Amino acid sequence: MSQTDTSDAGLPSLRNHLVHAPWPYARLDVPALRAAGHRPHPVRQFVLKTRSRCNLACTYCYVYEMADQGWRVQPAAMSRATAARAAARIAEHAAAHDLARVDLVLHGGEPLLTAPAELAAPVEAVRAALARTSPRTRVTATVQTNGTLLTRGRLGALAAAGIRVGVSLDGGLPAHNTRRVDRTGRPGFAAAARGLRLLARHPESYAGVLCVVDLAQDPVETYESLLAFAPPVIGLLLPLANWNTPPPGHDPPRTPYADWLVAVFERWWHEAELRTRIRIFEEIIALLLGLPAATETLGLAPAATAVIETDGGIEQADSLKSAYEGAAATGMTVASHGFDAFLDHPGLVARQLGREALADGCRACELVEVCGGGHYPHRYRAGEGFRRPSVYCADLQVLIRHIASALHRAAARPAPPERPDPRPAPRQPDAPPGRRRPEPAPGQPRATGPGAGLPGPPPAGR
C-alpha cells in the first residue's frame, strides 16, 4: 500500500479510509504496481469548487444530505490566492505531461453565487498560468449550476470567457422538482425554468442538462418535458447509492431503473428526428461498438479527475461523498502538493486500474467492457470498500442488453434500395432520408451501424 502523504494532515484521512474501505486503502500495493510497470494517467479534468454553499436545499443532495458533511468546515468561497495556487498547480501538471487540453468545471455548492465580474476569474487564472508554462495546452470550461441565478449579466460574463453552462434539473415540470427547494421550503423550479429559457436562446453557451432518475416520475414525460428547454445533451444519472444505502425501489431481481431508462431509450431511439443527445445511451452504444467513451460511470477508462475544494484541498471525485465521511479526502492541498502526488493516491490508482480493480464476478462478465463494474461509488460496502459489483448491477445488465439488441436490429435492417435519379446531381446534396442520428462527441460513434462482438439479446422475458 502506498500513502504518498505522511504529514499530520494526511494521516487522519488514511486512518478513516482504512476503517471504511480496506480495498483499496489496505490492500492495494501502489509501489508494487509501479515497479511492475503500471503507469499513472495524468489528471485532465479539474473541478474547482468556487463556492461551498448553495441557495437551494435539495432534499437528496449528495453534498449536504448524504454521508460526508465536510462542507461545514469549508470556506464559503474560494479565495483569489487559492485560485491562483490551483491554477499554478494545473499548469505545472499540464506542462509535466504535455497535455493538449485540460477541462475545467466550476462547481459548488452553487457557483453562480459569485458576482458576475468574478465568475470567470478562476478560469482566467488557469489560462494565464498555462500561457506561461504550457502554452500549447488549450482549456475548455463549463459551470454546473442549478440555474436559479442565471441572468443576462452572468450569462454574458460566462460567454465572454468561453465558459459553457450546464444546468441540473429533475425534469421539465414543477411536479418533477418538488425536492428542489430553498431553505424555507419554497420551490426553485420557476427561477430555474427562467434561467433555462434564457440559456436556450444562447445555444453556443449551452452545455446541457443533468437529471437524476426518479422512479416516482413517468420516464417519457420527464424526457419530453426537458425537451421544452432545448438541451443539446441530457445526462440521465442513476441516484448515488451503495450497498449500505440502496437506491429507492431497489428490490432485486426487479430492475426498476433499467425499466425507466429503457422507456426513455425507446422513445429517443425511434424518433424520426433527433431532438437531443442522451449521454448514457451514447456512451453505451460507443462501448458496445468497441469505441472509447469519455465517462467515469461506465467502461474501463482510467479516472482522470481531481477536485479542488474552496480551501485548496485536493480531493477525489465528489460522488464519493455519498459513501462515508471523508471518502473523497486525500490529505493533500494545492499549497503543499502537486497533482503528480495525487496520481499515487490509492483511491485514484484504484480507479485507473480498469478490470484489475473489479470484483471476480465482474471481471468474468461478458459485459465488463461496457459496464466497467458500474460507477465506482455504487460499489461501496462499509468495512469492505469498493471491490464489489454495482448496486445497480442487474439494472445495468438489462439496459446494456436492450441497447445491444437495438443495435443488432439496426445492423440487420436492409438499406432502402437506391433509385436512379434522372436529374443532374445538385451541387450541395440534401441530407439522406431517414432518422438523423446524433453527431458524435469527440471519441464517440454515431448511433447506428454494425458492431462486432455485441452481446446477444436479453434473456427471454426481458
Side-chain angles (χ1 to χ4, degrees):
M1 221 260 343
S2 168
Q3 172 62 19
T4 60
D5 178 23
T6 57
S7 68
D8 291 342
L11 290 174
S13 169
L14 173 60
R15 296 190 193 102
N16 185 53
H17 289 312
L18 290 172
V19 170
H20 292 282
W23 200 94
Y25 292 98
R27 299 174 188 159
L28 184 61
D29 191 336
V30 176
L33 282 171
R34 298 291 185 246
H38 186 278
R39 293 291 172 259
H41 296 263
V43 179
R44 298 178 186 276
Q45 183 182 69
F46 299 88
V47 179
L48 300 170
K49 292 281 196 166
T50 56
R51 289 279 174 165
S52 65
R53 307 300 194 264
C54 189
N55 62 320
L56 294 185
C58 303
T59 59
Y60 56 86
C61 181
Y62 69 88
V63 174
Y64 304 110
E65 301 297 333
M66 299 187 81
D68 191 314
Q69 293 292 296
W71 65 272
R72 296 179 183 276
V73 297
Q74 287 290 335
M78 181 180 286
S79 70
R80 280 183 170 268
T82 298
R85 172 55 66 183
R89 292 295 192 186
I90 292 169
E92 171 187 81
H93 193 69
H97 297 276
D98 196 23
L99 298 183
R101 189 184 86 191
V102 296
D103 301 325
L104 306 180
V105 182
L106 303 183
H107 210 276
E110 174 47 57
L112 296 193
L113 286 167
T114 305
E118 298 295 320
L119 276 172
V123 174
E124 298 299 354
V126 173
R127 287 182 175 137
L130 286 169
R132 291 189 294 269
T133 61
S134 185
R136 293 188 301 172
T137 304
R138 64 187 182 91
V139 173
T140 69
T142 58
V143 60
Q144 191 64 35
T145 172
N146 60 40
T148 60
L149 301 176
L150 198 57
T151 62
R152 288 186 179 85
R154 287 187 172 91
L155 184 56
L158 292 166
I163 302 171
R164 300 174 72 221
V165 181
V167 177
S168 300
L169 202 65
D170 292 343
L173 299 174
H176 299 151
N177 291 272
T178 56
R179 296 183 296 168
R180 297 182 70 81
V181 295
D182 67 16
R183 298 195 182 281
T184 68
R186 293 178 299 186
F189 177 74
R194 284 194 299 271
L196 274 163
R197 286 192 290 269
L198 172 64
L199 185 58
R201 294 197 292 271
H202 298 273
E204 69 285 352
S205 294
Y206 201 169
V209 171
L210 292 181
C211 178
V212 176
V213 171
D214 183 352
L215 298 183
Q217 305 301 335
D218 180 85
V220 174
E221 179 187 71
T222 300
Y223 162 60
E224 293 192 334
S225 66
L226 287 172
L227 293 175
F229 297 112
V233 182
I234 295 175
L236 295 175
L237 308 178
L238 293 169
L240 283 169
N242 55 60
W243 291 103
N244 289 89
T245 310
H250 185 250
D251 185 24
R254 293 176 59 248
T255 56
Y257 288 91
D259 299 341
W260 199 99
L261 288 165
V262 163
V264 178
F265 175 82
E266 284 296 298
R267 178 59 62 95
W268 174 79
W269 181 253
H270 292 291
E271 286 178 334
E273 288 291 323
L274 178 76
R275 293 191 282 174
T276 189
R277 297 166 53 197
I278 299 183
R279 186 172 296 143
I280 187 172
F281 302 152
E282 290 191 346
E283 288 168 348
I284 289 173
I285 289 166
L287 291 162
L288 284 167
L289 296 175
L291 297 170
T295 175
E296 287 194 1
T297 59
L298 293 165
L300 296 171
T305 297
V307 176
I308 301 99
E309 282 285 356
T310 54
D311 67 352
I314 298 172
E315 294 202 344
Q316 303 172 70
D318 243 20
S319 53
L320 287 170
K321 294 179 185 291
S322 62
Y324 57 89
E325 183 74 51
T330 67
M332 303 179 192
T333 72
V334 293
S336 54
H337 298 82
F339 288 104
D340 274 17
F342 177 58
L343 295 182
D344 279 332
H345 188 274
L348 182 67
V349 173
R351 300 186 73 178
Q352 295 195 341
L353 288 178
R355 192 189 296 256
E356 297 173 55
L358 303 183
D360 291 345
C362 294
R363 292 199 298 273
C365 179
E366 69 170 341
L367 301 181
V368 65
E369 298 287 341
V370 181
C371 170
H375 195 19
Y376 192 78
H378 296 164
R379 307 175 202 171
Y380 175 71
R381 174 168 278 176
E384 296 181 31
F386 297 91
R387 205 167 199 174
R388 293 186 57 84
S390 167
V391 72
Y392 292 104
C393 178
D395 294 277
L396 290 171
Q397 289 197 44
V398 170
L399 176 63
I400 292 167
R401 291 188 184 279
H402 184 90
I403 294 175
S405 294
L407 283 176
H408 273 293
R409 291 191 296 270
R413 190 178 302 128
E418 293 187 8
R419 297 181 180 179
D421 189 344
R423 298 173 299 175
R427 293 182 181 177
Q428 295 181 333
D430 295 329
R435 183 184 191 271
R436 180 170 56 86
R437 292 292 183 197
E439 287 299 316
Q444 293 189 333
R446 294 183 182 274
T448 58
L454 297 181
R462 288 290 186 196

